[in-house]
């Protein structure tokens, strides 16, 4: 019997995972009559595509709570308004990055109106939702190390993947807006966000107005890295003036 090719083997690995919940390198190497090195490469490739999680000696299914992520929560009218305003900046055939998060996830419903998009994300939930769109964008995933606190892939592998491409736009949220420093976050993992900003020609921050002025210690993106801020009509005149003085392109989404 001839050995299955790489694609067939990887499809079978996913099928086995769905049946068993976990697989081992040793078991797979014996099943496919191939080396453990080859199987480890298969598992790495599948993990980078968000299809499984590696563990010592094998792999397991991605936990259902990770796959569900925040994207399954109802999207508020406020976030929908931000998404609609942000999506107006996307042209057909753009190459964009969508960071993980519930605000940026609201953008997905607007992408069905676009054609020929290439979309990179570090979120499994965003990736799964993109696959349901018609027309379906070309999907790229960062891969990397899963971080439960940010519900996204992070780390050096993800950063290296991002640096292999260039993008028209990054769409990213924030836990808060520090009017002096930039976007801030509760999460201490900020390196990937900065790499995303480096490889995008326009950085679009999507944030509700009630997050402007909150005091959170961890700086994510400084104002020098941000081009456009999309928020709602709750922003004050004073806040608008401060942002415009920093050269930020401010877009205030109309009430839906």
């Amino acid at each position: 019997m001839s050995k299955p090719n790489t694609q067939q083997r990887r499809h079978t690995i996913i099928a086995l995972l769905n049946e068993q919940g976990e697989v081992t390198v040793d078991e797979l190497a014996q099943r496919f009559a191939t080396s453990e090195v080859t199987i480890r490469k298969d598992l790495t490739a599948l993990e980078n595509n968000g299809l499984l999680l590696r563990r010592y000696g094998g792999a397991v299914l991605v936990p259902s709570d990770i796959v569900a992520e925040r994207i399954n929560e109802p999207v508020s009218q406020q976030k929908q308004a931000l998404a609609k305003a942000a999506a107006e900046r996307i042209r057909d055939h753009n190459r964009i990055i969508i960071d993980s998060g519930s605000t940026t996830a609201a953008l997905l419903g607007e992408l069905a109106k676009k054609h020929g998009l290439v979309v990179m994300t570090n979120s499994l939930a965003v990736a799964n939702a993109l696959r349901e769109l018609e027309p379906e964008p070309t999907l790229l995933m960062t891969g990397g190390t899963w971080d439960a606190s940010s519900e996204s892939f992070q780390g050096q592998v993800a950063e290296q993947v991002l640096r292999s491409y260039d993008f028209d736009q990054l769409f990213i949220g924030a836990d808060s807006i520090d009017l002096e420093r930039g976007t801030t976050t509760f999460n201490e993992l900020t390196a990937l966000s900065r790499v995303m900003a480096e490889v995008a020609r326009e950085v679009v921050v999507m944030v509700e107005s009630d997050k402007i002025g909150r005091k959170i210690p961890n700086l994510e993106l400084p104002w020098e890295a941000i081009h456009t801020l999309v928020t709602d009509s709750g922003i004050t005149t004073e806040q608008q003036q401060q942002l415009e003085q920093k050269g930020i392109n401010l877009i205030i989404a109309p009430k839906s």
Side-chain angles (χ1 to χ4, degrees), residues 12-43:
T12 304
I13 290 172
I14 294 302
L16 287 170
L17 266 174
N18 287 327
E19 290 174 12
Q20 303 169 189
E22 61 180 317
V23 291
T24 68
V25 172
D26 180 64
E27 158 198 353
L28 294 174
Q30 291 185 38
R31 181 184 185 94
F32 297 112
T34 191
S35 70
E36 292 188 0
V37 171
T38 297
I39 296 300
R40 289 192 184 96
K41 288 180 180 178
D42 287 340
L43 298 183

Side-chain angles (χ1 to χ4, degrees), residues 43-213:
L43 298 183
T44 298
L46 292 168
E47 183 180 48
N48 287 344
N49 285 313
L51 298 173
L52 55 76
L53 292 179
R54 294 289 305 277
R55 70 170 196 178
Y56 183 76
V60 296
L61 278 175
V62 178
S64 58
D65 58 336
I66 291 178
V67 175
E69 207 174 314
R70 295 176 185 171
I71 198 169
N72 290 327
E73 297 176 2
V75 178
S76 69
Q77 288 188 341
Q78 195 173 37
K79 287 179 179 177
Q80 286 176 336
L82 296 186
K84 186 173 182 180
E88 290 178 0
R89 306 193 65 75
I90 304 173
R91 298 181 179 178
D92 288 348
H93 306 289
N94 270 16
R95 298 162 62 90
I96 67 175
I97 307 170
I98 300 179
D99 191 23
S100 61
S102 57
T103 303
T104 47
L107 190 63
L108 299 176
E110 301 296 322
L111 298 187
K113 304 168 187 175
K114 312 292 179 179
H115 296 270
L117 294 181
V118 176
V119 185
M120 170 77 82
T121 187
N122 60 336
S123 164
L124 289 179
V126 169
N128 287 333
L130 287 169
R131 293 171 60 193
E132 300 300 318
L133 294 181
E134 184 62 45
E136 183 178 339
T138 298
L139 171 63
L140 304 173
M141 287 212 62
T142 63
T145 302
W146 180 257
D147 173 60
S149 63
S150 64
E151 297 183 315
S152 63
F153 289 103
Q154 303 283 339
Q156 292 185 358
V157 170
E159 293 167 25
Q160 289 168 4
V161 169
L162 277 163
R163 287 194 171 106
S164 300
Y165 298 87
D166 65 278
F167 296 90
D168 297 296
Q169 292 151 316
L170 161 64
F171 293 88
I172 188 168
D175 291 325
S176 73
I177 297 293
D178 186 316
L179 290 166
E180 294 300 320
R181 297 190 296 156
T183 65
T184 56
T185 178
F186 292 109
N187 192 349
E188 295 183 352
L189 298 175
T190 59
L192 189 67
S193 298
R194 294 177 183 177
V195 174
M196 287 178 173
E198 287 173 16
V199 298
R201 282 182 278 278
E202 181 186 20
V203 175
V204 181
V205 175
M206 301 168 58
V207 65
E208 294 127 308
S209 61
D210 60 3
K211 294 183 178 180
I212 299 175

